[in-house]
Amino acid sequence: MAFLTLSGIPIPLDAGSPLQYRQELLGEVRRSFAGQLRSSERARRWTYSGNTMPLVLEESLAMRNLIDGRGHSWSFDGGTVSSTGIGPPVVTGDAGGQMGGGRFGTGRLRCAPGGRVQWPLSLGADLGRTTLAFWVRTPDLDNVWTHLVIDWATAAVYRDGALWTTVDVLGDYSIVVALTAAYLELGCNTDGGGEISYDDLVVLPYCVPASWLTAWATSGAPFGPLPAHVVGGSGVHTPGLLMRGQARDGTAMELWTEGGQFLTHEAFDFELRE
């Protein structure tokens, strides 16, 4: 088990900079004029801080974006609006939120053949480096929940953490997926073999490193709700907390790699607050 994870993604920590814990009081503990100790404390909230190990610049940037909670996520537990308020969607045919039967939580997105759901997004220049991910259940894939991650920069599709196919070939299945600078669309082909279910939909405005994919598919936990993450790992004595992060100052360095070349790396400080 990883020492620290955000939504199932391991955060590699610098061995010389252990994870720091701090509790923030909701209220005050103060002495009265007469010297008596008085408390108005109602609760406590955790703050974690640490420093990452040196990462190549591309992976370091992705890790910064992960900790900062950039992107949009949909759990479909309370409808079809994203955790960042994207909605209402445009619905075509027989499609929409459905209670029960989801991969996580209490809901899912259900699309009958011909049904499609479209959300307005303003990705702009981020489209060329966007990562789209979701869990899908369809007769084409043996009616079992399957995790798909699409690297929109390369059109590569990863299934359960392994390279599988391309976006264009997805049209040979019942799955409908379209992403432009203006909208995101999911659905089921008109001649599809049956109903499709989607869950745990994520749109990230950055490229995800290949090192994340297996952990993401096997974490057994949903992603987000962005901009927050569920914190886990063996180094966390209160796993399951929903926390928001902030990536802070970094240090760049040139390190010799196993491939026999010098590459620029970065290590940076970060903070997670409940």
Side-chain angles (χ1 to χ4, degrees):
M1 178 184 293
F3 188 81
L4 174 67
T5 64
L6 297 183
S7 294
I9 307 299
I11 307 299
L13 297 180
D14 184 357
S17 178
L19 192 65
Q20 302 291 320
Y21 297 91
R22 185 173 73 254
Q23 284 192 318
E24 180 181 1
L25 299 182
L26 302 187
E28 292 184 334
V29 178
R30 304 185 65 178
R31 290 194 181 276
S32 68
F33 183 78
Q36 295 176 328
L37 192 63
R38 294 179 176 177
S39 173
S40 62
E41 177 189 343
R42 293 296 179 266
R44 299 187 178 196
R45 296 290 184 265
W46 284 105
T47 296
Y48 302 157
S49 58
N51 190 279
T52 69
M53 66 180 295
L55 303 169
V56 294
L57 283 185
E58 293 81 3
E59 189 163 349
S60 177
L61 179 59
M63 190 63 65
R64 281 181 170 275
N65 287 323
L66 175 74
I67 292 173
D68 287 339
R70 295 191 64 205
H72 311 281
S73 64
W74 288 258
S75 68
F76 302 115
D77 290 344
T80 54
V81 177
S82 77
S83 62
T84 53
I86 301 298
V90 177
V91 178
T92 302
D94 185 4
Q98 179 76 44
M99 296 297 293
R103 176 65 176 84
F104 302 108
T106 60
R108 59 188 168 97
L109 175 67
R110 181 190 64 83
C111 297
R116 301 188 179 200
V117 180
Q118 185 181 108
W119 293 268
L121 286 179
S122 299
L123 294 175
D126 288 329
L127 178 62
R129 51 180 177 268
T130 296
T131 300
L132 174 66
F134 50 83
W135 287 87
V136 62
R137 186 179 64 197
T138 169
D140 294 336
L141 302 177
D142 301 322
N143 269 323
V144 297
W145 284 106
T146 300
H147 192 239
L148 298 185
V149 177
I150 304 174
D151 182 346
W152 221 257
T154 63
V157 180
Y158 298 85
R159 179 180 178 183
D160 294 331
L163 182 61
W164 180 41
T165 184
T166 63
V167 173
D168 293 339
V169 178
L170 279 182
D172 295 340
Y173 296 84
S174 298
I175 299 171
V176 171
V177 55
L179 183 65
T180 73
Y183 68 86
L184 162 69
E185 184 176 71
L186 293 180
C188 179
N189 282 324
T190 303
D191 56 353
E195 177 182 285
I196 291 183
S197 294
Y198 296 93
D199 201 2
D200 195 32
L201 170 64
V202 179
V203 177
L204 304 177
Y206 56 91
C207 295
V208 168
S211 59
W212 292 14
L213 298 178
T214 300
W216 194 352
T218 60
S219 67
F223 197 97
L226 296 173
H229 292 284
V230 174
V231 176
S234 61
V236 178
H237 51 63
T238 312
L241 293 179
L242 189 63
M243 308 184 84
R244 292 191 61 169
Q246 184 177 13
R248 293 186 167 173
D249 296 343
T251 302
M253 63 206 76
E254 195 173 45
L255 299 178
W256 183 261
T257 68
E258 293 181 358
Q261 59 181 324
F262 282 105
L263 291 178
T264 303
H265 291 62
E266 182 198 21
F268 62 88
D269 303 325
F270 66 89
E271 185 176 74
L272 304 171
R273 299 184 67 185
E274 183 183 3

